[in-house]
Amino acid sequence: MTKNEASAIMSDDNKSEVESAVKSESNQTTKKTKRNQNQKKKPAGNKADNDKGAGNKVNENKAAEMKAVSNKVKIIPLGGLDRIGMNITAFEYEDSIIVVDCGLAFPDEDMLGVDLVIPDVTYLKNNRDKVKGFVITHGHEDHIGALPFILKDINVPVYATKLTIGLIDLKLKEYGMLKTTKRKVVKHGNSVNLGAFRIEFIKTNHSIADASALAIYSPAGIIVHTGDFKIDYTPLFGDSIDLQRFGEIGKKGVLALLCDSTNAGRPGFTPSEEMVARTFENLFTENKNHRMIVATFASNVDRVQQIINTAYKFKRKVILQGRSMVNVIEVASELGYIKIPENTLVDVDQMKNYPDEQLVFITTGSQGEAMAALSRMADSTHKKVTIKPGDTIIFSSTPIPGNEKAVSKVINELSKKGANVIFQDTHVSGHACQEEIKLIYSLLRPKYAVPVHGEFRHRMAQAELVKAIGIPQENIFIIKSGNVLELSEEKGKVTENVQAKDIFVDGLGIGDVGSTVIRDRQYLSENGIIIVALTMMKSTNQVLAGPEIITRGFVYVKESEELIVEAERIVNAALDKCANKNVTDWNKIRNTIRDDLNDYLWKKLKRSPLILPIILEA
Amino acid sequence: MTKNEASAIMSDDNKSEVESAVKSESNQTTKKTKRNQNQKKKPAGNKADNDKGAGNKVNENKAAEMKAVSNKVKIIPLGGLDRIGMNITAFEYEDSIIVVDCGLAFPDEDMLGVDLVIPDVTYLKNNRDKVKGFVITHGHEDHIGALPFILKDINVPVYATKLTIGLIDLKLKEYGMLKTTKRKVVKHGNSVNLGAFRIEFIKTNHSIADASALAIYSPAGIIVHTGDFKIDYTPLFGDSIDLQRFGEIGKKGVLALLCDSTNAGRPGFTPSEEMVARTFENLFTENKNHRMIVATFASNVDRVQQIINTAYKFKRKVILQGRSMVNVIEVASELGYIKIPENTLVDVDQMKNYPDEQLVFITTGSQGEAMAALSRMADSTHKKVTIKPGDTIIFSSTPIPGNEKAVSKVINELSKKGANVIFQDTHVSGHACQEEIKLIYSLLRPKYAVPVHGEFRHRMAQAELVKAIGIPQENIFIIKSGNVLELSEEKGKVTENVQAKDIFVDGLGIGDVGSTVIRDRQYLSENGIIIVALTMMKSTNQVLAGPEIITRGFVYVKESEELIVEAERIVNAALDKCANKNVTDWNKIRNTIRDDLNDYLWKKLKRSPLILPIILEA
């Protein structure tokens, strides 16, 4: 789709949706006054707002004439609760559904062999005609990663800010879906109209540029979704979060706030990215005689900018390492989200032209990921970069829970090679802490609070904060994926549940690995397998071949010959027993073999491998 | 063995070993002066020491008359380096070997199905006659846990302080080895003579009572092993670490120091256990209307004492939960290491007789261990305790790296049940930080530094500290398990390597699961298995039965019928291909089936299950 095509689509959308957006505004104005009275917190008499972004000036008189509309809006999270990652939430008003974010999750350690986890969008498929589009808050995998999978079934336009669309395009290109997917860049402060909804993009700060909160205007009221955010008064790139607009929207009256809970358990404010800059300057000064390698997230464009700035100041050349690092920085650079001074970036093959102290690598692998560039340097499988004594390696990150041991392993390997590994003070979180969350709530003063983005305990921590600043317990919703939360000025209630589960991606298979397969993998991984194969005549039950015993993942066979011989004896005894008792049912024969062998192994070794008797029919 | 028998053995030992201990002292006195001159740090002219513990008063004149002795002592770690856990180190002087600690490690996450990891003691088995005994620093699993396995092969006496022996007895009892194992309680300040060695037990502080450092006197010099330690000036139970004795021994001249590195990367001092007491008082005050549940390590006897003290003060009854909690506290209580006020401890069945606000549970499970009491409460499988809204649950611990996600899961489950989970300020480390490590080095001023107890990076951090306080680089040894480090006054050098690997315990099997089996388990866990079974005539290669295809952990078969049908077609085609080419070698037939099926599945699904063709001979 070209830019013109995209605009064309948008104009059409705009035309048809103007009316509902207008409805939305008028409805809110009415409702709001009522809520303000209920809450006894806000002054009454807010004047109608001029939405500069949408350009839909509200005409109160006209609105008042319009027919009655439903006062209920539904919030349906299809993922993103009870775990970090896989964020996707549907908002439904009558015949309109919009979907905020479409992320993936990386598998938990017990999801053996699974590559990715994507959301189950059966509900969207069943309501395909209602779905008007995806609205994306920012370009991280847990917010955009499932798009290529989901768009195959639900091909609706995708709306996001420039860098976010750039990163989505990178992904769509990889899956060959650029031509078939409609994307539309939206600027902060502007809105899109989708069915009954109007969605305004509001500037926030996060660990990636161009992050947005969304104000979702519906005829039943305004819902604000913060996305992942923090408040950074001194961001490295662009403006600070648009707190004024949060205040303005708050004054209009907000029905519900869906707010990031990741750091809701942490007191205070998350420090500014600026803090990291000073630490980098110190580290570059202290290590001026060493080659430097800095590991961070590819998507943390601002962090990469900082490292490049410092490198330039200290007259070092920068080499990017890791596929995602190269790709993301290329996109960010093309779109103007990162400024790289001329002659600063050099290719890894030019490394030999510069002395060590004039080089800095920026690399993936800060989480100890097995195949990332830094991990390959650590275990000596990197083709171009060899770690040597004197190298200074900086982890500009903190391990995500679950990655601690992997990170630790990489650090040990790098240390063994003589590198000096620095693991502190060069990272700040991208998520709001308690004071920031309280500030956002105080600007918006929503009727209902729906903590999102976080495990149960994080969302509970936000619920505690929210209670403390005056939102009554019954207006705070700690919901689950699949819950349909129906909200109106009168009440909020989970009215039903829709299907919402994890879909596993393994190789090219989507959903063909489920809980049964995973259970088998877990069992195999802890106990191994014993296969007992034999051939029988169907008519006589005479054994024509075997039994043969083959094991994998059970014992080291060469040193356990006795055990295998004894196992064969037990299988033969089981067959004899069946023959003597005239057992002809092959299922019973298989069960006898399995039970007898299992008994023997448990007594002998206190182990239970998966025993698989196979009887072939001759 | 009765106490009298043990004493008898010791008296004999004492008699025969007095001479070598005396040698040791005189030798050290000579060497020491020389070292002091080299290091130019210590005043010369130390007077001979009166070792109150051993009672072996040194007679310098007599010593001077004795024949020349070897000046070399070997330090041979058989575990405990490059990972936390499985501590075991042999010290060898001519015909004498003593072994300090005999711990186990819990398996890494990639050691699938492994229950425990124990050290490979082939070197000790090969030198069985030399081995005089095990000397144990304290009663934690990573220092005593492998004893029941290793004592089966090397049945020598075990020496340790009272609580440590009590915990070892608990373990030996479980394995039915109490009668066959000689144990001897040693008091702090006393020594045991074992072959050429005399070993003095020195009081330290740690997260378990009765922890010891060891001064190992050999004819080649004194080696000090700190064990796990911290410096606690205000310990809850018993005395502070015997810093005076460290000073005294330092004055004699120390050849080498093996020092705990766990916290060598952390600046400052580890806080005193006393700090935790105040936090508990506050928490008990704040939660006076709630039932309380505190999770900690069973072996952290002092912590349990604190909780009991606070409970008593706040008039609460204490219920212990978890098998190891009950066992360890019983032993500690019998031996006088924990004081439980009368009528404070009640059985879980008496719970119903007390209101919630008069109860506190002390439970295992602070690391999220799947089968521990707290985890069972969290997932509603605990038989007696049901978590309810209002319960206050305190984690008095920090997660060991690798356990973060499991702990997180338990917290989420408890929160969902309405419990208030508190996760801060009720734990202090049991290991020395940088200032403590520097203090111990400054008291002992060893010639050689051998950082122990820690991953490579922790030991490197200690090496940096040690360099900073004046020990030259060439006298600091970052060694590996299996290294034989030979030390004399003149030089230190790794002279050879002995076998030292991980032995896996799986059920009752010890060592029958090795790297091949683990690799198979890993492969199975990620990809599953496809078995292709058929029967052939040996003479004609005619297929009599099958091929039958059975999968486990690959795909959900009911939804993948087409795939399985296609796989059968490919196997049949492979068989036809072999028949047409007159391939008669069954290995080649098996390989053809495997390769063709693998190609198909990779193209179709980008997956590689383990393919196992089985051909039975009719």
Side-chain angles (χ1 to χ4, degrees), chain A residues 82 112 404 408 412 415-416 455-457 506 508 512 521 525 535 545 552-553 556 605 607 612 617, chain B residues 82 112 404 408 412 415-416 455-457 506 508 512 521 525 535 545 552-553 556 605 607 612 617:
Chain A
D82 281 305
L112 300 172
E404 292 85 353
S408 201
N412 280 322
S415 304
K416 281 181 196 168
E455 297 171 15
F456 185 85
R457 60 192 175 120
D506 181 2
L508 297 183
D512 63 346
R521 287 184 183 173
S525 76
T535 306
R552 284 291 184 278
Y556 188 50
L605 287 173
R607 289 195 219 159
L612 196 64
E617 185 182 334
Chain B
D82 280 303
L112 300 173
E404 291 84 354
S408 202
N412 280 323
S415 304
K416 281 181 196 167
E455 297 171 12
F456 185 84
R457 61 192 174 120
D506 181 2
L508 296 182
D512 62 346
R521 286 184 184 174
S525 77
T535 307
R552 284 290 183 281
Y556 188 51
L605 287 173
R607 288 195 219 161
L612 195 64
E617 184 183 336

Side-chain angles (χ1 to χ4, degrees), chain A residues 82 107-110 112-114 401-402 404-406 408-409 411-412 415-417 455-458 460 506-514 516-518 520-522 524-529 531 533-535 544-548 550-557 559-560 594 602-607 610 612 614-618, chain B residues 82 106-110 112-114 401-402 404-405 408-409 411-412 415-417 455-458 460 506-514 516-518 520-522 524-529 531 533-535 544-548 550-557 559-560 594 602-607 610 612 614-618:
Chain A
D82 281 305
D108 292 345
E109 54 198 23
D110 57 356
L112 300 172
V114 172
E404 292 85 353
K405 272 205 143 175
S408 201
K409 197 179 151 202
I411 296 177
N412 280 322
S415 304
K416 281 181 196 168
K417 291 179 164 31
E455 297 171 15
F456 185 85
R457 60 192 175 120
H458 303 131
M460 279 303 290
D506 181 2
L508 297 183
I510 299 170
D512 63 346
V513 168
T516 317
V517 172
I518 295 294
D520 278 350
R521 287 184 183 173
Q522 275 161 356
L524 288 168
S525 76
E526 296 197 352
N527 307 284
I529 187 168
I531 299 144
L534 58 121
T535 306
L544 293 185
E548 197 163 311
I550 292 141
T551 79
R552 284 291 184 278
F554 172 53
V555 290
Y556 188 50
V557 175
E559 289 179 0
S560 308
R594 186 184 292 118
W602 182 252
K603 272 181 203 143
K604 174 93 182 168
L605 287 173
K606 290 271 179 293
R607 289 195 219 159
L610 196 152
L612 196 64
I614 301 173
I615 305 180
L616 297 177
E617 185 182 334
Chain B
D82 280 303
F106 294 102
D108 292 345
E109 54 199 22
D110 57 356
L112 300 173
V114 173
E404 291 84 354
K405 271 206 147 175
S408 202
K409 196 178 151 203
I411 295 177
N412 280 323
S415 304
K416 281 181 196 167
K417 290 178 164 33
E455 297 171 12
F456 185 84
R457 61 192 174 120
H458 303 130
M460 279 303 291
D506 181 2
L508 296 182
I510 299 169
D512 62 346
V513 168
T516 317
V517 172
I518 296 293
D520 278 350
R521 286 184 184 174
Q522 277 162 356
L524 289 168
S525 77
E526 296 196 352
N527 307 284
I529 187 169
I531 299 144
L534 58 119
T535 307
L544 294 185
E548 197 163 310
I550 293 142
T551 79
R552 284 290 183 281
F554 172 55
V555 291
Y556 188 51
V557 176
E559 289 179 2
S560 307
R594 187 184 292 119
W602 182 252
K603 272 179 205 144
K604 174 93 183 166
L605 287 173
K606 291 269 180 291
R607 288 195 219 161
L610 197 152
L612 195 64
I614 301 172
I615 305 181
L616 296 177
E617 184 183 336

Side-chain angles (χ1 to χ4, degrees), chain A residues 236-250:
Chain A
L236 193 82
F237 182 93
D239 298 329
S240 182
I241 178 171
D242 189 355
L243 293 177
Q244 294 179 327
R245 184 62 186 153
F246 279 93
E248 249 182 331
I249 293 170

